[in-house]
Amino acid sequence: MFERPKSGERAVLVHLNLNPATGDALLAEFTELARAAGAEVLETISGNRRVPEARYFIGEGKAAEVAERVKALGADLVLVNHALSPSQERNLEKLLSCRVLDRTGLILDIFAQRARTFEGKLQVELAQHRHIATRLVRGWTHLERQRGGSIGLRGPGETQLEIDRRLVDKRIQQLEKRLDRVGDQREQGRRTRQRHDVPTVSVVGYTNAGKSTLFNSLTGAGVFVADQLFATLDATLRRLDLGDANHAVLADTVGFVRELPHDLVAAFRSTLQETNEAALLLHVVDAGDPERDVYIETVNSVLHEIGAENVPQIEVFNKIDLTGQPAAAERGADGEVRRLWLSARTGEGLDLLRAAISSRLRGDTVRGWLKLGPMQARARAALFDLGAVRNERDEGDGGFLLEVELPRREYQRLCRREGLEPSALTA
């Protein structure tokens, strides 16, 4: 056994081409993940295999090559662009005499660095513990069984490994209970929005597609933005004003990536629930990325995994300021916008997106004449504030006759608040 160093970010990357068609793109993405985690990439070693090897995954010959380069370069860490089994990870660490981290472990490390909110930190810690639970090894010298000291209690006790597993399981249970409480608070907020007929629009997409930039442009929230993978992690909710008596809650969620660890998806279930229960998804895509079709498929796959595959979505092709494309909208057979090209950074095309969101959320609009008495001036003022009044006639008795047009949910909310009868609206 060897002692793992507590620090060190000088890394050698290892990539195995199992599918030549996607190998280069996966390696480029993995390099960006390593840099996002703060690693100093010393060298990248790649190879080709049709199937992984059982002991080292990368094969004995390639493992020996990596060991030689690790020693020559003085690397602290080897990052493998694949999901390793616990035994493969241990075998590589024993051979290389340094830390070995697979793709899942690297993504977990990035998430641990990016989490800022209490909920986000709990979610990441839960995912880490679930990952660690399968990788506890006999890395200690005190593995002899503990024995009781009393008469009749001198039988074999627990090994240190068993104690570690029990402690990890206990911590997982504690984290799950805390997240359940936080999830209850989120659910209460969702119920409040539903009770007030406030729809949620969720921003989803592949990491680094420009989701947070779009979120800031639409809401002025000031969410952290950087040209790196997983720059923002914690979910953010802000009011989205759409005009024409329309507003919604916009939710910025964690970005997706190929082979997103299932432990993370499970741990972030309460955050991703905002996506699952949204009225509309804005699926942000980097318009200039040659791998965009693969990324779209990846995002839709994760949406299916969390049960959000049937939520209506608009594909938002971002970064047209880099591609030279004009802002444009593509409509479906029903006349609603299905795809839209814009630049979140310059603001070009944002007006098209706001109009498309408003149209999608409006659903069926109520139109007609509404008669209000002289004691219902507050309802009249509310309709003007909503921008719903198209015409007004003076009834002469101090009352008002208003021609209005507004979303049905806004009209129903107004009726509840002001004590109006919904049937009072006439054609």
PDB file of all heavy atoms in Angstrom, residues 7-12 38-42 70 72-79 98-99:
ATOM      1  N   SER A   7      -2.527  16.583  -1.444  1.00  0.00           N
ATOM      2  CA  SER A   7      -2.732  17.624  -2.438  1.00  0.00           C
ATOM      3  C   SER A   7      -1.949  17.264  -3.689  1.00  0.00           C
ATOM      4  O   SER A   7      -1.282  16.244  -3.753  1.00  0.00           O
ATOM      5  CB  SER A   7      -2.295  18.986  -1.892  1.00  0.00           C
ATOM      6  OG  SER A   7      -0.911  18.964  -1.593  1.00  0.00           O
ATOM      7  N   GLY A   8      -1.978  18.121  -4.669  1.00  0.00           N
ATOM      8  CA  GLY A   8      -1.267  17.869  -5.910  1.00  0.00           C
ATOM      9  C   GLY A   8      -2.220  17.900  -7.075  1.00  0.00           C
ATOM     10  O   GLY A   8      -3.195  17.147  -7.119  1.00  0.00           O
ATOM     11  N   GLU A   9      -1.949  18.780  -8.054  1.00  0.00           N
ATOM     12  CA  GLU A   9      -2.856  18.952  -9.174  1.00  0.00           C
ATOM     13  C   GLU A   9      -2.129  18.834 -10.506  1.00  0.00           C
ATOM     14  O   GLU A   9      -2.651  19.220 -11.537  1.00  0.00           O
ATOM     15  CB  GLU A   9      -3.573  20.299  -9.052  1.00  0.00           C
ATOM     16  CG  GLU A   9      -4.447  20.377  -7.812  1.00  0.00           C
ATOM     17  CD  GLU A   9      -5.007  21.762  -7.575  1.00  0.00           C
ATOM     18  OE1 GLU A   9      -4.457  22.719  -8.155  1.00  0.00           O
ATOM     19  OE2 GLU A   9      -5.973  21.891  -6.824  1.00  0.00           O
ATOM     20  N   ARG A  10      -0.896  18.298 -10.472  1.00  0.00           N
ATOM     21  CA  ARG A  10      -0.145  18.051 -11.702  1.00  0.00           C
ATOM     22  C   ARG A  10      -0.625  16.705 -12.248  1.00  0.00           C
ATOM     23  O   ARG A  10      -0.365  15.658 -11.667  1.00  0.00           O
ATOM     24  CB  ARG A  10       1.353  18.021 -11.411  1.00  0.00           C
ATOM     25  CG  ARG A  10       1.902  19.377 -11.001  1.00  0.00           C
ATOM     26  CD  ARG A  10       3.267  19.246 -10.337  1.00  0.00           C
ATOM     27  NE  ARG A  10       4.210  18.457 -11.110  1.00  0.00           N
ATOM     28  CZ  ARG A  10       4.942  18.893 -12.132  1.00  0.00           C
ATOM     29  NH1 ARG A  10       4.829  20.178 -12.491  1.00  0.00           N
ATOM     30  NH2 ARG A  10       5.787  18.119 -12.771  1.00  0.00           N
ATOM     31  N   ALA A  11      -1.327  16.762 -13.379  1.00  0.00           N
ATOM     32  CA  ALA A  11      -2.073  15.586 -13.826  1.00  0.00           C
ATOM     33  C   ALA A  11      -1.648  15.090 -15.197  1.00  0.00           C
ATOM     34  O   ALA A  11      -1.273  15.870 -16.081  1.00  0.00           O
ATOM     35  CB  ALA A  11      -3.572  15.894 -13.840  1.00  0.00           C
ATOM     36  N   VAL A  12      -1.733  13.786 -15.354  1.00  0.00           N
ATOM     37  CA  VAL A  12      -1.618  13.122 -16.650  1.00  0.00           C
ATOM     38  C   VAL A  12      -3.007  12.621 -17.024  1.00  0.00           C
ATOM     39  O   VAL A  12      -3.666  11.946 -16.226  1.00  0.00           O
ATOM     40  CB  VAL A  12      -0.620  11.950 -16.602  1.00  0.00           C
ATOM     41  CG1 VAL A  12      -0.681  11.134 -17.897  1.00  0.00           C
ATOM     42  CG2 VAL A  12       0.802  12.451 -16.374  1.00  0.00           C
ATOM     43  N   GLY A  38      -9.107  22.622 -11.942  1.00  0.00           N
ATOM     44  CA  GLY A  38      -7.889  23.253 -11.448  1.00  0.00           C
ATOM     45  C   GLY A  38      -6.633  22.438 -11.662  1.00  0.00           C
ATOM     46  O   GLY A  38      -5.579  22.752 -11.097  1.00  0.00           O
ATOM     47  N   ALA A  39      -6.707  21.407 -12.497  1.00  0.00           N
ATOM     48  CA  ALA A  39      -5.541  20.555 -12.729  1.00  0.00           C
ATOM     49  C   ALA A  39      -4.589  21.204 -13.736  1.00  0.00           C
ATOM     50  O   ALA A  39      -5.018  21.876 -14.676  1.00  0.00           O
ATOM     51  CB  ALA A  39      -5.983  19.188 -13.233  1.00  0.00           C
ATOM     52  N   GLU A  40      -3.311  20.978 -13.530  1.00  0.00           N
ATOM     53  CA  GLU A  40      -2.288  21.370 -14.498  1.00  0.00           C
ATOM     54  C   GLU A  40      -1.998  20.147 -15.362  1.00  0.00           C
ATOM     55  O   GLU A  40      -1.420  19.165 -14.895  1.00  0.00           O
ATOM     56  CB  GLU A  40      -1.017  21.828 -13.789  1.00  0.00           C
ATOM     57  CG  GLU A  40       0.122  22.190 -14.730  1.00  0.00           C
ATOM     58  CD  GLU A  40       1.429  22.425 -13.998  1.00  0.00           C
ATOM     59  OE1 GLU A  40       1.411  22.496 -12.752  1.00  0.00           O
ATOM     60  OE2 GLU A  40       2.469  22.522 -14.684  1.00  0.00           O
ATOM     61  N   VAL A  41      -2.422  20.204 -16.609  1.00  0.00           N
ATOM     62  CA  VAL A  41      -2.297  19.042 -17.494  1.00  0.00           C
ATOM     63  C   VAL A  41      -0.863  18.957 -18.010  1.00  0.00           C
ATOM     64  O   VAL A  41      -0.414  19.807 -18.779  1.00  0.00           O
ATOM     65  CB  VAL A  41      -3.294  19.127 -18.668  1.00  0.00           C
ATOM     66  CG1 VAL A  41      -3.127  17.924 -19.587  1.00  0.00           C
ATOM     67  CG2 VAL A  41      -4.724  19.205 -18.141  1.00  0.00           C
ATOM     68  N   LEU A  42      -0.148  17.926 -17.588  1.00  0.00           N
ATOM     69  CA  LEU A  42       1.243  17.729 -18.008  1.00  0.00           C
ATOM     70  C   LEU A  42       1.332  17.012 -19.346  1.00  0.00           C
ATOM     71  O   LEU A  42       2.186  17.325 -20.176  1.00  0.00           O
ATOM     72  CB  LEU A  42       1.997  16.918 -16.949  1.00  0.00           C
ATOM     73  CG  LEU A  42       2.044  17.503 -15.533  1.00  0.00           C
ATOM     74  CD1 LEU A  42       2.806  16.563 -14.602  1.00  0.00           C
ATOM     75  CD2 LEU A  42       2.696  18.882 -15.544  1.00  0.00           C
ATOM     76  N   VAL A  70       4.255   8.978 -15.694  1.00  0.00           N
ATOM     77  CA  VAL A  70       3.962   9.558 -14.384  1.00  0.00           C
ATOM     78  C   VAL A  70       5.252   9.751 -13.588  1.00  0.00           C
ATOM     79  O   VAL A  70       5.481  10.794 -12.961  1.00  0.00           O
ATOM     80  CB  VAL A  70       2.967   8.665 -13.608  1.00  0.00           C
ATOM     81  CG1 VAL A  70       2.913   9.065 -12.126  1.00  0.00           C
ATOM     82  CG2 VAL A  70       1.576   8.769 -14.211  1.00  0.00           C
ATOM     83  N   ALA A  72       8.362   9.923 -14.822  1.00  0.00           N
ATOM     84  CA  ALA A  72       9.241  10.878 -15.491  1.00  0.00           C
ATOM     85  C   ALA A  72       8.790  12.323 -15.289  1.00  0.00           C
ATOM     86  O   ALA A  72       9.617  13.236 -15.131  1.00  0.00           O
ATOM     87  CB  ALA A  72       9.309  10.549 -16.983  1.00  0.00           C
ATOM     88  N   LEU A  73       7.496  12.536 -15.287  1.00  0.00           N
ATOM     89  CA  LEU A  73       6.951  13.902 -15.178  1.00  0.00           C
ATOM     90  C   LEU A  73       6.748  14.343 -13.735  1.00  0.00           C
ATOM     91  O   LEU A  73       6.502  15.522 -13.477  1.00  0.00           O
ATOM     92  CB  LEU A  73       5.621  13.995 -15.930  1.00  0.00           C
ATOM     93  CG  LEU A  73       5.682  13.793 -17.451  1.00  0.00           C
ATOM     94  CD1 LEU A  73       4.285  13.648 -18.026  1.00  0.00           C
ATOM     95  CD2 LEU A  73       6.414  14.957 -18.113  1.00  0.00           C
ATOM     96  N   GLY A  74       6.791  13.400 -12.806  1.00  0.00           N
ATOM     97  CA  GLY A  74       6.527  13.738 -11.404  1.00  0.00           C
ATOM     98  C   GLY A  74       5.073  14.121 -11.171  1.00  0.00           C
ATOM     99  O   GLY A  74       4.779  15.018 -10.374  1.00  0.00           O
ATOM    100  N   ALA A  75       4.172  13.429 -11.860  1.00  0.00           N
ATOM    101  CA  ALA A  75       2.744  13.751 -11.742  1.00  0.00           C
ATOM    102  C   ALA A  75       2.194  13.311 -10.394  1.00  0.00           C
ATOM    103  O   ALA A  75       2.649  12.323  -9.810  1.00  0.00           O
ATOM    104  CB  ALA A  75       1.966  13.081 -12.869  1.00  0.00           C
ATOM    105  N   ASP A  76       1.226  14.068  -9.896  1.00  0.00           N
ATOM    106  CA  ASP A  76       0.564  13.740  -8.630  1.00  0.00           C
ATOM    107  C   ASP A  76      -0.725  12.950  -8.846  1.00  0.00           C
ATOM    108  O   ASP A  76      -1.239  12.330  -7.917  1.00  0.00           O
ATOM    109  CB  ASP A  76       0.189  15.022  -7.865  1.00  0.00           C
ATOM    110  CG  ASP A  76       1.358  15.973  -7.736  1.00  0.00           C
ATOM    111  OD1 ASP A  76       2.383  15.570  -7.181  1.00  0.00           O
ATOM    112  OD2 ASP A  76       1.229  17.114  -8.217  1.00  0.00           O
ATOM    113  N   LEU A  77      -1.242  13.019 -10.071  1.00  0.00           N
ATOM    114  CA  LEU A  77      -2.607  12.557 -10.301  1.00  0.00           C
ATOM    115  C   LEU A  77      -2.741  12.042 -11.723  1.00  0.00           C
ATOM    116  O   LEU A  77      -2.168  12.609 -12.663  1.00  0.00           O
ATOM    117  CB  LEU A  77      -3.572  13.732 -10.068  1.00  0.00           C
ATOM    118  CG  LEU A  77      -5.045  13.569 -10.388  1.00  0.00           C
ATOM    119  CD1 LEU A  77      -5.701  12.581  -9.446  1.00  0.00           C
ATOM    120  CD2 LEU A  77      -5.751  14.932 -10.289  1.00  0.00           C
ATOM    121  N   VAL A  78      -3.492  10.963 -11.894  1.00  0.00           N
ATOM    122  CA  VAL A  78      -3.839  10.455 -13.220  1.00  0.00           C
ATOM    123  C   VAL A  78      -5.354  10.521 -13.361  1.00  0.00           C
ATOM    124  O   VAL A  78      -6.085   9.983 -12.526  1.00  0.00           O
ATOM    125  CB  VAL A  78      -3.349   9.008 -13.428  1.00  0.00           C
ATOM    126  CG1 VAL A  78      -3.934   8.429 -14.714  1.00  0.00           C
ATOM    127  CG2 VAL A  78      -1.829   8.969 -13.496  1.00  0.00           C
ATOM    128  N   LEU A  79      -5.817  11.202 -14.400  1.00  0.00           N
ATOM    129  CA  LEU A  79      -7.244  11.346 -14.671  1.00  0.00           C
ATOM    130  C   LEU A  79      -7.600  10.478 -15.867  1.00  0.00           C
ATOM    131  O   LEU A  79      -7.005  10.624 -16.942  1.00  0.00           O
ATOM    132  CB  LEU A  79      -7.603  12.805 -14.958  1.00  0.00           C
ATOM    133  CG  LEU A  79      -7.289  13.806 -13.840  1.00  0.00           C
ATOM    134  CD1 LEU A  79      -7.562  15.228 -14.319  1.00  0.00           C
ATOM    135  CD2 LEU A  79      -8.107  13.501 -12.604  1.00  0.00           C
ATOM    136  N   CYS A  98       0.201   6.637  -7.428  1.00  0.00           N
ATOM    137  CA  CYS A  98      -0.333   7.997  -7.310  1.00  0.00           C
ATOM    138  C   CYS A  98      -1.849   7.907  -7.354  1.00  0.00           C
ATOM    139  O   CYS A  98      -2.420   6.842  -7.601  1.00  0.00           O
ATOM    140  CB  CYS A  98       0.187   8.909  -8.430  1.00  0.00           C
ATOM    141  SG  CYS A  98      -0.504   8.555 -10.050  1.00  0.00           S
ATOM    142  N   ARG A  99      -2.497   9.021  -7.088  1.00  0.00           N
ATOM    143  CA  ARG A  99      -3.955   9.044  -7.119  1.00  0.00           C
ATOM    144  C   ARG A  99      -4.481   8.821  -8.531  1.00  0.00           C
ATOM    145  O   ARG A  99      -3.909   9.325  -9.499  1.00  0.00           O
ATOM    146  CB  ARG A  99      -4.485  10.383  -6.606  1.00  0.00           C
ATOM    147  CG  ARG A  99      -4.388  10.574  -5.107  1.00  0.00           C
ATOM    148  CD  ARG A  99      -4.922  11.936  -4.719  1.00  0.00           C
ATOM    149  NE  ARG A  99      -4.123  12.993  -5.336  1.00  0.00           N
ATOM    150  CZ  ARG A  99      -4.594  14.187  -5.679  1.00  0.00           C
ATOM    151  NH1 ARG A  99      -5.873  14.464  -5.493  1.00  0.00           N
ATOM    152  NH2 ARG A  99      -3.810  15.094  -6.207  1.00  0.00           N
TER     153      ARG A  99
END
